[in-house]
């Protein structure tokens, strides 16, 4: 079915959008101008994200404006003005200095969405430390891997998260020197420090030292194909793109009340849940609680949210909840809704139009791109199912890879409606600068000046881009990008499992969920008890967002002659799709799913969407 284009209802635009004429803006745009529109550190001392997001507002007309309105799980509310935020982050920067943490060293954050998370992130950036926020629902294994690869020097966390997830792996993290506990008023675990006490003793005044725009600011880990997560490195210059894209793609304007539902443990929650809104000086809502239909509508209504950035899984959950929870509510403040992270089905776009009088504006980007690349804009028509068009300053191409690793090239597709790999012309400010310690892998992402996304797409004759799928085995579940190898490695760490092959299978709510096929050691029986144990084992180590929803025991896994598990074939068989080229298939594979397939206790669909 093709979905009709949605033209904008001028009455619901409420005010003129930032981008009135896409073509005109695009033609006249350059990144140098966007950079010049920012403040920069005083006396030409460079560019620092925390200065743009906090200090310059604290020193200006916005000082007393609420920067963050925090809504606690237990209905407590805390407003933090830009002035207060400058003081609190100044204290945090001074704490790092007093601890002897050097610029460039890594500060990991393992916290729920509590004020300390935002204070620590921005305070560390002031100190020119490099921040790496982690999702608090991760299990110990993803935490250990990330802190090891990132050589975390400082960890900011809560007492509970520390005791449950870090204390047991601390001896495997030799570079971790300081653990700062945000809720240590009733005592802190051995080997940790009470952050509140340190903040109270520190001065609120902090002058940001000269910061080169190319200085590292953030490391965001993303799933890797080899089982090890990759640390995508971003620099302070990225704030140029965060600001410009927040203006163009989210249409953020001066007096907006903005709510980004993503957790800062994922890139969306940092780029657009901390940096862009604050750099643009709006008031942002932070909700500590997880998804809840009533609560979300109440926040939209009572907080008078005007711009809302969320995820397809969340939209589908709201759709499923029906009209009743929305009935009688005053949602008239809402003027723009955007979503990201996974395919947004056309029905969801249209549902937005019915439910709010506003379509959902899909946009596209990746951890590596640091900021939004392709978007449906406030003033433009929306073609349901399309990701929109490239933002000003972004050139997107549909390409075909040519040559090989020794002579890599691309052929750019000019014809409309042809499937190819989505590529972006390298050089925008928030582009990742490397993968931590993996320069070769980084270099392999680029060909002929294009960054290759690994996503398949097509462009229609009017320049709108349509997502078609990934070109690799990655799984997108509730917006979380999951590398199958990471899951396979954990499953095979279980005493009963010989081999594991992991794929994504379609799910109406989460887009995809993780399904694992495992083979067991001879003599081991796939009893209910073993299956429960296996699910629990995976969930404990990986966390519920990453652990498999279903585990099937099979006699053998299809492999190439060189011994690689053929996930493509597992998937084709699971879904009853054509099996494609089997010329590299080794021997006689078992039939996946045939012997014993059982769902786990709960899956990613019940998790908060990222
Ligand atoms: O496959 C694309 C999908 O999410 C991937 C990036 O995931 P991650 O690095 O976790 O970044 C999430 C923050 C944006 C992409 O390679 N993806 C992202 N946006 C869309 C999407 N797939 C379809 N439609 C989108 N709008």
């Amino acid at each position: 079915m093709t979905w009709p284009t949605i033209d904008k209802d001028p009455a619901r635009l409420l005010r003129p959008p930032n981008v009135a004429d896409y073509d005109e803006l695009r033609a006249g745009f350059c990144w140098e101008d966007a950079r010049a529109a920012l403040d920069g550190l005083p006396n030409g001392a460079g560019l620092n994200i925390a200065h743009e997001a906090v200090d310059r507002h604290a020193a200006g007309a916005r000082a007393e404006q609420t920067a963050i309105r925090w809504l606690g799980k237990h209905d407590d509310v805390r407003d933090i003005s830009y002035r207060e935020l400058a003081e609190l982050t100044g204290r945090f920067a001074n704490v790092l200095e007093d601890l002897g943490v050097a610029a460039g060293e890594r500060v990991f954050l393992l916290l729920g969405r509590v004020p300390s998370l935002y204070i620590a992130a921005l305070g560390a950036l002031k100190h020119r430390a490099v921040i790496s926020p982690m999702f608090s629902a991760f299990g110990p294994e993803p935490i250990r891997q990330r802190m090891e690869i990132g050589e975390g020097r400082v960890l900011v966390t809560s007492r509970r998260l520390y005791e449950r997830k870090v204390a047991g792996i601390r001896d495997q993290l030799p570079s971790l020197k300081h653990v700062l506990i945000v809720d240590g008023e009733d005592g802190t675990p051995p080997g940790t420090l009470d952050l509140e006490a340190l903040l109270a003793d520190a001065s609120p005044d902090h002058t940001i030292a000269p910061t080169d725009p190319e200085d590292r600011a953030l490391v965001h880990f993303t799933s890797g194909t080899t089982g090890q997560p990759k640390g995508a490195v971003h620099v302070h210059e990225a704030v140029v793109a965060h600001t410009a894209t927040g203006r163009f793609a989210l249409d953020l304007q001066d007096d907006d009340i903005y709510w980004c539902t993503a957790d800062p443990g994922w890139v969306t929650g940092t780029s657009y849940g901390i940096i862009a809104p604050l750099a643009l000086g709006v008031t942002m809502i932070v909700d500590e609680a997880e998804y809840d239909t009533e609560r979300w509508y109440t926040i939209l209504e009572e907080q008078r949210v005007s711009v809302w950035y969320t995820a397809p899984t969340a939209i589908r959950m709201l759709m499923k909840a029906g009209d009743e929870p929305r009935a009688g509510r005053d949602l008239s403040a809402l003027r723009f809704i955007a979503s990201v992270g996974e395919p947004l089905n056309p029905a969801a776009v249209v549902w937005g139009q019915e439910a709010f009088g506003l379509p959902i504006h899909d946009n596209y980007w990746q951890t590596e791109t640091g900021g939004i690349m392709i978007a449906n804009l406030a003033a433009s028509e929306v073609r349901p199912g399309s990701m929109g068009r490239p933002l000003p300053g972004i050139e997107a191409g549909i390409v075909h890879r040519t040559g090989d690793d020794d002579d890599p090239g691309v052929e750019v597709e000019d014809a409309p409606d042809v499937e190819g790999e989505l590529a972006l012309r390298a050089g925008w400010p928030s582009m990742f600068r490397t993968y931590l310690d993996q320069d070769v892998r980084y270099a392999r992402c680029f060909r002929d000046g294009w960054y290759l996304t690994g996503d398949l797409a097509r462009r229609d004759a009017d320049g709108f881009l349509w997502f078609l799928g990934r070109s690799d085995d990655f799984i997108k579940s509730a917006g979380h990008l999951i590398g199958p190898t990471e899951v396979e490695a954990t499953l095979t760490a279980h005493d009963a499992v010989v081999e594991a092959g992991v794929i994504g299978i379609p799910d109406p709510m989460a887009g995809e969920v993780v399904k694992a096929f495992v083979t067991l050691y001879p003599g081991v029986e796939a009893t209910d008890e073993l299956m429960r144990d296996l699910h629990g084992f995976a969930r404990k180590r990986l966390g519920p967002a990453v652990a498999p929803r279903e585990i099937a025991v099979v006699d053998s896994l299809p492999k190439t002659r060189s011994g690689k598990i053929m996930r493509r074939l597992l998937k084709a068989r699971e879904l009853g799709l054509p099996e494609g080229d089997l010329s590299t298939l080794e021997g006689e594979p078992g039939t996946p799913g045939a012997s014993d397939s059982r769902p786990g206790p709960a899956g990613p669909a019940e998790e908060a969407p990222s």
Side-chain angles (χ1 to χ4, degrees), residues 335-357:
R335 65 175 188 85
F336 188 74
I337 312 173
S339 121
V340 73
E342 41 172 326
L344 182 66
N345 41 319
V349 178
V350 174
W351 172 81
Q353 184 71 24
E354 287 159 12
F356 305 104

Side-chain angles (χ1 to χ4, degrees), residues 467-513:
F467 180 84
L468 298 171
R470 287 208 51 102
S471 66
D472 50 34
D473 292 332
F474 281 100
I475 300 158
K476 254 284 150 135
S477 185
H480 307 313
L481 190 67
I482 298 168
T485 328
E486 193 179 344
V487 183
E488 289 160 1
T490 297
L491 289 169
T492 51
H494 189 282
D495 285 346
V497 176
V498 185
E499 283 179 322
V502 165
I503 60 168
I505 56 170
D507 179 84
M509 206 50 69
E512 285 186 301
V513 292

Side-chain angles (χ1 to χ4, degrees), residues 72-90:
K73 282 201 252 233
H74 306 296
D75 291 339
D76 30 348
V77 177
R78 178 171 169 195
D79 283 345
I80 304 175
S81 69
Y82 278 99
R83 182 185 51 73
E84 281 173 276
L85 193 57
E87 290 173 8
L88 292 164
T89 52

